[in-house]
Every structure is written in structure tokens, then in C-alpha cells.
Amino acid sequence: MSVDPMSGDVDSIRRLAQVLDQRAISVDNAGESISTAASSATSSVWEAASRTAFTAKAQELRTQVGRVSSRIDTVAFALSDYAAKLEQIQSDARTIKAAQLRNDQDIASNTRTLDRLSTADDDQSMTEVVTASALGVAYQTTKLALDRSWNDLVARRQSADAAVVAKLQGDEALGTPPPSASAVDGMSDAAFLAWLASQPADALPRIGLDKAVTDRLGQIRDPKVIADWWNSLGGPDGKGSASTHSDAQQALVDGVPLLLGNLNGVAYWARDKANRTTLESQLKTASGQDVVAYKNIKSSLKKFKGVSLITLQPDHPPLAAVAIGNLDTAQNVTYVVPGMNSDTPNTTVVERAAYDLRRQQRAWTEESTAVVAWLNYKTPGGPPAVLHGDMARAGAERLGDDLAGFNATRGDGKGHLNVVAHSYGTTTSSITLAERDYGVDNWVSAGSAGIEQDIPTAADIHADHVFVAQAPRSIGDDGLLGKKGDGWSWLGQMGSMTRHDPASPSFGGTYLATAGVPRLDDMHGVTTHDPLANSASRPNSYGYFDMDTESLNNMARATTGNFPTR
């Protein structure tokens, strides 16, 4: 592709180079200050054993700071050198362009002269014709020479551009080169993870972007391998916490946030920190509806206390999971799996349902609780997709990965584990729990869009207890054509042709009443298929997860061991 030798703002490039040059000096001065502090920490002024650890860490940090300073200096020099070359190229380009313009004018003038002399037949005119023709040949020769000079200049510009790009992308600017795919593929899981943790903190950002590394990490399917590795990095603090963890763990959180944030087996405090970094990065580059999704996710993190972003998968729209409560320590954990139209542009809706459930749970248990608003799968937007099982099967695999990750992260002290699903989420989560035992204590189906027929009974769900909440069926929500109730779940059950109703006695689940208790203001009945419906504009509407409903109260009882089972 041809380039314009005239393009580019030399002054801006030169100013940036100067700023970076000063930045390199400042960083290097900071490194010298670290060295001075370490040198001052002699045994005569610091007798504690921690002095040795401090001086060792200071020396390590000084080395890293020196590498960073060197890289900034490399970039500054590359840009300064490029600016000088570009300035000369642009000067030469202006000279060639001016010469081409003059030569084109001479050619035009000479052509007019030949046209005028073409009708003359006297000797003087013939002499002028010969002279003009000779000039024409000279002008054309000059034109060819100037064109060659321009093409040579274009080549010089392309060479200068390529050279500066090579320097900016080279090891001296970016640091340690990432490994080749063949190198990491040949490592065992343990060796690969050990290698990753051993990389200098300042080298991790580049390594984390390398496809060979991300692909190799994705090949580790057992989250317990990840959990054991992560816990080993914490030393005496094990998996660590937001306030107490090792330098090695912090380096990975800072250096490879996109890798760490979704890595099952890593402590959730670390995933939250990593995903918040990724969120800010994505907000700067996202476009269209993805911006809405990322902003909604960010808003969800400020809505309630104790919220963490345990999953953030860039996609269109992005996928996410938001936990309310400490997922690393809670004695009772519930994953809320939503149904159709539940994507990250609606994160705060699903989060509110999770918050309501946790709030109601705390009325029934003294255990610490955490509830996850799980939006880590693509849900159907409505018919006809909601009548098919493709998205449910894909989501079931992702849910299984996350439940296995939870078990690995928490280990033997995981406490009670529950899955509460709504609408199409019941289709999804039932597949997950039918395929494998994840140690789930209670599975709750609310307003089910139907369970696949190859899961015939509650006994086929790997959960200690299976509960089913189903509002009275109606034609349309909020009693559009008659009695109030759930106007959508039965359509999913019947329209799919491959599912059945988990609320039927033959399925064998424990039924949770949802119709409400007359004259009790905190026991309203469900009037719609929605998870949430009650608002100032809909004061008489209630979804399955609205506060002051019999449905929510019974789901809270079921997930805290306070509801009689069959």
C-alpha cells in the first residue's frame, strides 16, 4: 500500500518523544530513591528480621524499575529518530512537489507553443518548432526523473515507518518476548503455571496478550489444578484476600487481568480486581450496544455493598457474573441463573433479583450468604429461540465450569451450594445438574420454560433437594385475559415439543407456593412471568423475586434448609 510522504505531524511526534524522555528520567530517579532507601536500611538502624526481606524486595523492584525506564527511553529515542527522518522526508517531498509543479507548467506552456507553431510554414517558425520539440523531450525526461525521485521518497517513508514500528514492537521496548506456541504446548500444566508465575511483573502484560499463552491456559480443564497453583503462590496466606495476599498474586492480578479474571480456581477477590481493570479497559474501546452493557455492569458494582465482578468475558454483548456477598468465605452460596432477555445490558435487573433473594435468605439463616447474578451465557430474546435448546446446552456447559470452579476454589470449606433458576434458566441449569454432580444442596426452579424430556424426574437432577415454584398459569401476564399469573412459562413448555413441566406431580419436586396469602402484605402472589415487576408504575404486579412475595420467601426458605422436603 502506497503512503503519502507528506503525512504526519513531526512536532507532535517530537513533543511525545520529549515527554517520554522526561518520564524515563523520572522513573530512573525513582529507582535510585529505592536503592538509596535500601542502602539506608542498615542493621544499625533496623534490627528486625524484616530488614532482609525489605532490602531484597527493594533490589528486585529497583531492577524492574530500571527495565521500565530503559523501555520508555527506547521508545522515546525511536520516536525522536523517526521525527528527524520524517522531517527530512517531508522537506524533500516539498522540494520534489515544487519541481514537479514547475515542470508541469513548463510542459503545458511548451505544448501551447507547439500548437501555435503547427500552422506556420516560414523558416523562423520551423526553427522554433525544433527548439520547442527539444524542450518537450527535456521536460518529459525531467518528469520521469522527478517521478522516480518521488517513488524513491515513498519507499524511504515506508522504510522509516516500518523501522519505527519494529522498534516500538521490539523486545527492547516491550520487554521479555512471549514464548512460542511450541514451547508452552510442550509444558505440563504444572510447569506452564509455574513458568507464568515466575515471569517478571513488568513482562506479564505482554505475555498475557500472547495467543500461545491464552490458548495453553485454556487447555487446563481441571480448576483444582488452578486452585492448587494459586494457593501455593500465597504462601502462608494461601488463596489470600483483598487485603492480605502475596506479591506474586498481586503481580498476576495487575499483569494479566484478562486471563486471571475468568480463570476458575483463582480466588474471587483476585478475579474481581482483575475484572474491574478489564472493565475500565473495555469501556474505553467498546462501541454500540456493548457500551450500554459495560456501563450497566459498572453501575451494578456500585448498587449494593459487597459486590464483586467474578466474571467478565468480552463478547457482543459481554458476559458477566456479579456476586453480592463474599464468595470466598460465605457459608451459603446461591447461583441465580436467569432466563430469556437476561443479558448484560440488563445486569442490574438480575442483580436486583439476586439481592432480594439474599436479603430474604438472611431472614431465615444466621450463616453468611452470597448470591451470584449469573449472566455468563447467551440467553434467547424470546420465541422462537426460547423454544429450542441450543442456548441452554451451551449455557449448561458454562454453568458447569463455574460450579466446578467454585468447588475447586472453596475446597472442603465450600459450605452450602444452591442453584436458583428462572424461566429458560431452569432449562439450562437442569441440563448442567443432570449431567454431573457438582455438590449442589438445593435446586430451585421458578417459572420454568420446561425441562428436557430426557430429564424425566427430580431424581435425575444431581441436587440433594429439588424445589419447584410455579405461579398460576394465565393468558398473558397480570391477568390480561382473566386471572393473574404467569403467562409465559407454559408456552415454553408446550411450544418446545421436547420439554415437560417440572411442577407436575410426576416430576417429583417439592412444590413452593407462589399464589400469595390473603390479607398478608408481605406474602403477595406472583402475577407475571417476570423475575421482578413491582414498581411505582405497577404497584399491583409481582414477579418471582419481588420482595414481599410468597414466592421469594419460599425460595429463601428452600435455599437455607428451612422448607420441608419430600
Side-chain angles (χ1 to χ4, degrees), residues 272-330:
D272 174 51
K273 286 178 174 290
N275 285 328
R276 287 173 186 261
T277 299
T278 299
L279 176 61
E280 293 302 322
S281 176
Q282 293 297 320
L283 277 168
K284 295 176 182 177
T285 59
S287 60
Q289 282 299 108
D290 289 352
V291 177
V292 177
Y294 284 119
K295 286 183 176 180
N296 203 285
I297 293 169
K298 185 172 183 177
S299 176
S300 74
L301 301 179
K302 304 174 182 178
K303 207 167 183 67
F304 307 111
K305 291 182 179 179
V307 177
S308 57
L309 184 57
I310 62 170
T311 298
L312 181 63
Q313 185 67 57
D315 207 326
H316 307 290
L319 305 176
V322 175
I324 307 172
N326 191 331
L327 208 60
D328 283 315
T329 61

Side-chain angles (χ1 to χ4, degrees), residues 280-489:
E280 293 302 322
S281 176
Q282 293 297 320
L283 277 168
K284 295 176 182 177
T285 59
S287 60
Q289 282 299 108
D290 289 352
V291 177
V292 177
Y294 284 119
K295 286 183 176 180
N296 203 285
I297 293 169
K298 185 172 183 177
S299 176
S300 74
L301 301 179
K302 304 174 182 178
K303 207 167 183 67
F304 307 111
K305 291 182 179 179
V307 177
S308 57
L309 184 57
I310 62 170
T311 298
L312 181 63
Q313 185 67 57
D315 207 326
H316 307 290
L319 305 176
V322 175
I324 307 172
N326 191 331
L327 208 60
D328 283 315
T329 61
Q331 297 164 304
N332 186 302
V333 171
T334 303
Y335 279 73
V336 173
V337 183
M340 67 179 186
N341 289 317
S342 297
D343 51 15
T344 45
N346 298 305
T347 302
T348 50
V349 176
V350 183
E351 181 193 34
R352 180 72 203 201
Y355 172 81
D356 285 354
L357 178 59
R358 181 172 185 251
R359 180 179 170 187
Q360 195 65 30
Q361 284 175 334
R362 295 170 76 176
W364 286 100
T365 183
E366 294 182 357
E367 290 184 325
S368 57
T369 60
V371 181
V372 178
W374 193 80
L375 297 106
N376 194 22
Y377 82 116
K378 293 188 176 183
T379 63
V386 75
L387 304 178
H388 300 289
D390 294 345
M391 287 185 168
R393 285 185 288 274
E397 183 176 353
R398 297 182 69 85
L399 177 60
D401 287 344
D402 284 0
L403 293 178
F406 172 79
N407 289 332
T409 302
R410 292 294 300 271
D412 295 336
K414 73 172 185 177
H416 296 105
L417 176 60
N418 313 291
V419 175
V420 175
H422 173 252
S423 185
Y424 194 78
T426 68
T427 312
T428 300
S429 60
S430 64
I431 296 173
T432 302
L433 300 185
E435 291 182 346
R436 183 177 167 186
D437 187 351
Y438 292 97
V440 171
D441 293 285
N442 304 290
W443 180 71
V444 180
S445 163
S448 178
I451 306 301
E452 294 297 338
Q453 292 174 0
D454 58 5
I455 308 173
T457 69
D460 296 294
I461 302 287
H462 288 105
D464 291 347
H465 307 292
V466 171
F467 298 91
V468 181
Q470 178 61 62
R473 291 164 176 78
S474 64
I475 306 298
D477 285 337
D478 284 333
L480 179 64
L481 296 175
K483 66 179 181 180
K484 292 186 177 182
D486 187 333
W488 285 100
S489 60

Side-chain angles (χ1 to χ4, degrees), residues 34-46:
I34 294 172
S35 294
T36 300
S39 299
S40 301
T42 62
S43 58
S44 61
V45 297
W46 189 353

